[in-house]
């Protein structure tokens, strides 16, 4: 598994014609939900669920929080179609940036929000978006801008969970992962809470609960 420092070196060595991709690492609680929200944005090429921010190597779903990691997504996007700042601005409006203890029904550090910029340019853009959000919400934003972190992909079964047709036994019965995700999202009240925090500034592309 290769750290992002290797990825950056690889990208810098590729032909200029292909160097339009950027990478963002964002923590917004349940990575299934963040993946679902951001993957639909124009200019986003790929979203991968994973872990970042901790001290342990090769974290897993069972131990990532103990190692100081959060659930995150790695977003690969085309900067000619969507800027890093715009991506962060939309992301902030899909989560509860006022909650330091987790997100929605998921509690604990591993589910808390954060932004992991990969360079100073990203850090400056993230700060600008946090400042805008704070102005809108009266200084209530608790989402931190962290130091650059290595991204560790989550297990295969977590990837694209929200649209998987593979069946699994859950509290919602023996259903597809996509159906389980919809049930989870609705039960967690994620979208309703985002709208209550952001009001008219909530990102309008959020799926309807249970849809």
């Amino acid at each position: 598994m290769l750290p992002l420092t290797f990825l950056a070196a690889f990208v810098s060595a590729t032909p200029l014609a292909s160097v339009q991709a950027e990478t963002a690492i964002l923590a917004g609680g349940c990575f299934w939900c963040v993946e679902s929200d951001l993957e639909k944005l124009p200019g986003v090429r790929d979203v991968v669920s994973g872990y970042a921010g901790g001290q342990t190597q090769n974290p897993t779903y069972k131990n990532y929080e103990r190692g100081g990691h959060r659930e995150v997504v790695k977003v690969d996007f085309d900067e000619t179609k969507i800027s890093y700042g715009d991506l962060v601005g939309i992301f902030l409006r899909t989560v509860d940036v006022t909650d330091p203890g987790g997100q929605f029904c998921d509690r604990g550090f591993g589910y808390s929000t954060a932004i992991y910029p990969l360079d100073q340019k990203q850090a400056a853009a993230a700060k600008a978006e946090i400042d805008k959000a704070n102005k809108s919400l009266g200084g209530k934003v608790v989402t931190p801008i962290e130091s650059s972190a290595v991204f560790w992909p989550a297990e295969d079964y977590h990837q694209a969970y929200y649209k998987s047709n593979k069946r699994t036994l859950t509290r919602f019965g023996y259903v597809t992962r996509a159906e389980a995700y919809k049930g989870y999202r609705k039960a967690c009240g994620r979208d309703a809470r985002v709208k209550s925090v952001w009001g008219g500034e909530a990102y309008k592309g959020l799926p309807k609960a249970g849809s």
Side-chain angles (χ1 to χ4, degrees):
M1 193 172 297
L2 300 175
L4 282 171
T5 51
F6 179 88
L7 174 64
F10 173 79
V11 170
S12 66
T14 56
L16 286 177
S18 65
V19 183
Q20 294 180 345
E22 286 282 356
T23 298
I25 298 179
L26 306 166
C30 169
F31 44 32
W32 302 340
C33 297
V34 185
E35 183 179 341
S36 171
D37 291 342
L38 300 185
E39 199 167 56
K40 301 177 178 69
L41 296 180
V44 169
R45 294 173 168 177
D46 189 35
V47 183
V48 179
S49 292
Y51 317 106
Q55 299 78 44
T56 55
Q57 303 287 302
N58 300 304
T60 69
Y61 191 64
K62 292 183 178 180
N63 66 21
Y64 74 91
E65 188 171 15
R66 291 198 300 275
H69 297 279
R70 290 181 172 97
E71 286 195 15
V72 302
V73 295
K74 179 172 74 72
V75 185
D76 293 329
F77 62 98
D78 185 338
E79 63 177 347
T80 68
K81 296 180 180 178
I82 186 171
S83 69
Y84 178 81
D86 286 343
L87 177 62
V88 170
I90 291 172
F91 160 73
L92 292 173
R93 286 157 180 79
T94 66
V95 296
D96 181 357
V97 293
T98 70
D99 184 355
Q103 285 291 284
F104 316 104
C105 60
D106 293 317
R107 312 314 301 162
F109 174 82
Y111 290 107
S112 59
T113 62
I115 300 168
Y116 293 93
L118 302 181
D119 55 34
Q120 290 301 313
K121 181 181 177 181
Q122 285 193 356
K127 183 180 184 304
E129 293 303 321
I130 290 287
D131 289 345
K132 291 178 188 176
N134 257 325
K135 185 176 181 180
S136 294
L137 299 179
K140 296 179 180 179
V141 176
V142 298
T143 301
I145 299 173
E146 302 282 21
S147 300
S148 179
V150 174
F151 171 82
W152 302 94
E155 295 83 345
D156 287 345
Y157 74 90
H158 286 298
Q159 310 302 334
Y161 193 99
Y162 77 96
K163 56 186 177 182
S164 172
N165 288 321
K166 185 171 182 178
R167 289 188 171 272
T168 186
L169 183 61
T170 73
R171 57 178 167 165
F172 304 105
Y174 186 62
V175 296
T176 66
R177 290 174 177 171
E179 291 170 327
Y181 160 76
K182 292 173 185 176
Y184 158 80
R185 184 164 188 140
K186 184 176 181 179
C188 242
R190 185 178 180 106
D191 304 327
R193 177 59 184 164
V194 168
K195 291 175 183 176
S196 73
V197 169
W198 284 102
E201 285 194 39
Y203 177 59
K204 301 302 190 298
L206 286 170
K208 294 180 180 179
S211 64

